[in-house]
C-alpha cells in the first residue's frame, strides 16, 4: 500500500501535522520513538489551554485525538532510513519494515548539547532551562544565572533580565563579551563572572549555588543555559539543505528543497523553539501536503482528459 504521507516524529509538530492530515482524509502514518527534547521537564508552559501541562500528558491527549481519525496510524518505532525513488519515498524502520509514501513530513526535533559542566544534567529541566519565554515566569524575581559559553550569551542575558533584577552571567572561563557589552550589562544591573565553573550544587534538581574553580561559590536559585543544537535524526540519503545553525531550511509552506519533503518544528532550528510554534508549523506542513496532493490529482486528470 502506498500511503499519502509519512510523518516522522510525534512531538507537537508531527502530532498536529497528523491531525490535519487525518481530518483531510489522507492515509497517514506517524512514526515516533518517543524521545522528545522536553522529556527532562515536568511542565510545559505557554500553550493556550495547556499552560502547565506535563509533556507526556500533552502527548497522550494528542494521540487520543488522533485515534478518532481512521486514516491515521501511529507506529511507535524509529525511522532508520528514507530513500526517494522516482516520485515515491521509501521509509525503512529500525525493525526493517518498509513503507512507501507520496510525501514526507520531517518533525524529528533537535537535541541540545549542554556545556561540559559537572552535574549540569541534574538541574536541566528542573531549575535550569533554555527558554525564558517557557520558564521565566516560574523563576521570576529570584537570584538567577545565565550560563553561557558562546556569543549569543550577551543577547540571552538581556532577555533573561526581563524576569529578574538579580542576574549574573557566568561564562565558564570564556572571554565572550566585548568591553562595550560588559559595560552595557553592568549599566543594566547584570553582573559578570568569567571564572571557570567546577560544579553546580543543589538537591533534587534545584540549584543552590555555582561552585567555581578558585574555591569560591555564588548562591543562585536557577537560571538559563545556552546549548549547541544538533538534529535529533539525520537521513543521509536525503540531500536537504541546512541553515547556518544546522536546521533544515524550508519556505513558508514548510517545503524543503526536495520535492515532496517537508520539515516543521524544532528540526528547522530557526527562531524561537516552542510547542505552539512547532504545532503551528506541523499544521502548515500538512496543509501544504494536502494542497500538493490535490494539485497532482487535478493535473493528472487533466492529462487524461
Ligand atoms: C527543558 C525544556 C523545557 C521546555 N519547556 C517548554 C515550555 O514550557 N513551553 C514550550 O512551548 N516549549 C518548551 N520547550 C521546547 C519544546 O519542547 C520544543 O519546542 C518542542 O518539543 C518541539 O517540538 P517538535 O515536535 O519539533 O520536536 P520534539 O518535541 O522534540 O519531538 C520530536 C519527536 O520525534 C521523534 N523522533 C526523532 N527522530 C526520530 C526517528 N528517526 N524516527 C521516529 N521518531 C523520531 C522523537 O523521539 C520525538 O518524540 C522546552 C524544551 C526543553 C528542552
Amino acid at each position: 500500500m502506498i500511503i499519502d504521507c509519512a510523518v516522522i516524529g510525534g512531538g507537537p509538530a508531527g502530532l498536529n501535522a497528523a491531525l490535519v492530515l487525518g481530518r483531510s482524509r489522507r492515509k497517514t502514518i506517524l512514526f515516533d520513538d518517543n524521545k522528545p527534547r522536553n522529556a527532562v521537564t515536568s511542565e510545559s508552559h505557554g500553550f493556550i489551554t495547556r499552560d502547565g501541562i506535563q509533556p507526556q500528558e500533552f502527548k497522550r491527549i494528542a494521540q487520543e485525538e488522533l485515534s478518532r481519525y481512521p486514516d491515521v496510524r501511529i507506529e511507535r518505532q524509529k525511522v532508520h532510513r528514507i530513500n526517494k525513488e522516482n516520485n515515491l519515498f521509501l521509509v525503512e524502520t529500525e525493525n526493517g519494515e518498509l513503507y512507501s509514501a507520496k510525501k514526507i513530513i520531517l518533525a524529528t526535533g533537535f537535541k541540545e548539547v549542554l556545556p561540559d559542566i559537572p552535574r549540569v544534567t541534574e538541574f536541566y529541566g528542573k531549575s535550569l532551562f533554555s527558554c525564558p519565554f517557557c520558564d521565566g515566569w516560574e523563576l521570576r524575581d529570584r537570584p538567577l544565572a545565565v550560563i553561557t559559553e558562546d556569543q549569543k550569551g550577551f543577547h540571552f542575558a538581556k532577555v533573561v533580565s526581563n524576569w529578574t533584577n538579580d542576574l549574573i552571567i557566568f561564562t565558564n572561563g570564556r572571554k565572550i563579551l566585548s568591553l562595550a557589552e560588559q559595560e552595557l550589562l553592568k549599566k543594566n544591573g547584570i553582573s559578570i563572572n568569567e571564572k571557570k565553573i567546577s560544579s553546580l550544587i543543589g538537591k533534587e534538581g534545584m540549584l543552590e549555588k555555582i561552585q567555581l574553580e578558585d574555591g569560591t561559590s555564588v548562591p543562585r536559585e536557577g537560571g538559563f543555559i545556552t546549548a549547541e543544537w544538533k538534529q535529533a535524526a539525520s537521513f543521509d540519503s536525503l540531500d536537504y539543505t541546512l541553515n547556518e545553525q544546522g536546521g533544515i531550511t524550508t519556505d513558508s509552506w514548510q517545503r524543503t528543497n526536495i520535492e515532496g519533503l517537508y520539515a516543521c518544528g524544532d528540526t528547522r532550528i530557526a527562531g524561537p523553539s516552542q510547542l505552539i510554534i512547532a504545532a503551528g508549523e506541523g499544521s502548515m506542513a500538512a496543509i501544504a501536503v494536502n494542497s500538493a496532493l490535490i494539485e497532482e490529482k487535478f493535473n493528472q486528470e487533466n492529462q487524461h482528459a
Side-chain angles (χ1 to χ4, degrees), residues 64-101:
E64 191 182 285
E65 287 176 357
L66 288 181
S67 69
R68 295 178 203 149
Y69 297 93
D71 290 320
V72 178
R73 190 170 111 204
I74 300 178
E75 276 293 327
R76 291 177 175 81
Q77 53 175 322
K78 184 174 178 177
V79 170
H80 178 60
R81 195 174 293 127
I82 304 172
N83 282 309
K84 189 170 184 196
E85 285 171 16
N86 304 319
N87 285 331
L88 283 181
F89 292 90
L90 204 60
V91 176
E92 187 182 338
T93 68
E94 62 181 346
N95 301 339
E97 291 166 23
L98 290 172
Y99 300 83
S100 292

Side-chain angles (χ1 to χ4, degrees), residues 47-204:
F47 197 124
I48 195 81
T49 77
R50 294 285 176 261
D51 192 33
I53 195 168
Q54 288 180 341
Q56 285 304 327
E57 176 62 2
F58 180 97
K59 207 159 180 164
R60 188 196 63 72
I61 296 172
Q63 291 178 355
E64 191 182 285
E65 287 176 357
L66 288 181
S67 69
R68 295 178 203 149
Y69 297 93
D71 290 320
V72 178
R73 190 170 111 204
I74 300 178
E75 276 293 327
R76 291 177 175 81
Q77 53 175 322
K78 184 174 178 177
V79 170
H80 178 60
R81 195 174 293 127
I82 304 172
N83 282 309
K84 189 170 184 196
E85 285 171 16
N86 304 319
N87 285 331
L88 283 181
F89 292 90
L90 204 60
V91 176
E92 187 182 338
T93 68
E94 62 181 346
N95 301 339
E97 291 166 23
L98 290 172
Y99 300 83
S100 292
K102 293 179 192 164
K103 310 284 176 200
I104 298 276
I105 295 178
L106 290 180
T108 41
F110 69 69
K111 296 272 169 231
E112 51 260 285
V113 183
L114 295 169
D116 186 17
I117 296 172
R119 297 187 60 190
V120 69
T121 51
E122 279 178 51
F123 299 94
Y124 189 57
K126 295 194 176 76
S127 57
L128 267 187
F129 300 91
S130 51
C131 160
F133 295 98
C134 302
D135 299 287
W137 173 258
E138 282 64 36
L139 295 181
R140 69 193 182 279
D141 297 329
R142 312 238 301 256
L144 300 187
V146 160
I147 302 175
T148 180
E149 294 180 347
D150 68 51
Q151 304 292 334
K152 53 182 187 251
F154 169 66
H155 174 71
F156 196 55
K158 287 199 293 182
V159 175
V160 173
S161 73
N162 183 57
W163 282 269
T164 183
N165 290 327
D166 183 355
L167 182 61
I168 305 176
I169 175 167
F170 292 84
T171 66
N172 194 25
R174 309 276 170 113
K175 298 272 177 211
I176 54 163
L177 299 166
S178 69
L179 280 176
E181 287 171 343
Q182 292 185 32
E183 254 171 51
L184 195 61
L185 291 175
K186 283 180 194 158
K187 224 186 246 176
N188 283 277
I190 302 170
S191 306
I192 300 160
N193 190 315
E194 293 184 321
K195 293 177 188 167
K196 188 119 179 86
I197 298 172
S198 61
S199 186
L200 302 181
I201 311 289
K203 282 189 214 89
E204 292 169 7

Side-chain angles (χ1 to χ4, degrees), residues 7-15 31-41 43-47 51 59 75 77-80 107-112 124-126 128-131 133-135 138 232-235 264-268 272-279:
V7 180
I8 323 293
L15 288 162
F31 296 90
D32 185 40
D33 70 347
N34 198 23
K35 290 183 185 142
R37 227 188 105 205
N38 61 353
V40 293
T41 192
E43 282 184 9
S44 293
H45 308 105
F47 197 124
D51 192 33
K59 207 159 180 164
E75 276 293 327
Q77 53 175 322
K78 184 174 178 177
V79 170
H80 178 60
T108 41
F110 69 69
K111 296 272 169 231
E112 51 260 285
Y124 189 57
K126 295 194 176 76
L128 267 187
F129 300 91
S130 51
C131 160
F133 295 98
C134 302
D135 299 287
E138 282 64 36
S234 61
F235 300 102
C264 54
D266 276 2
T267 193
R268 297 194 323 110
S273 155
Q274 287 217 301
L275 301 165
I276 200 157
I277 296 174

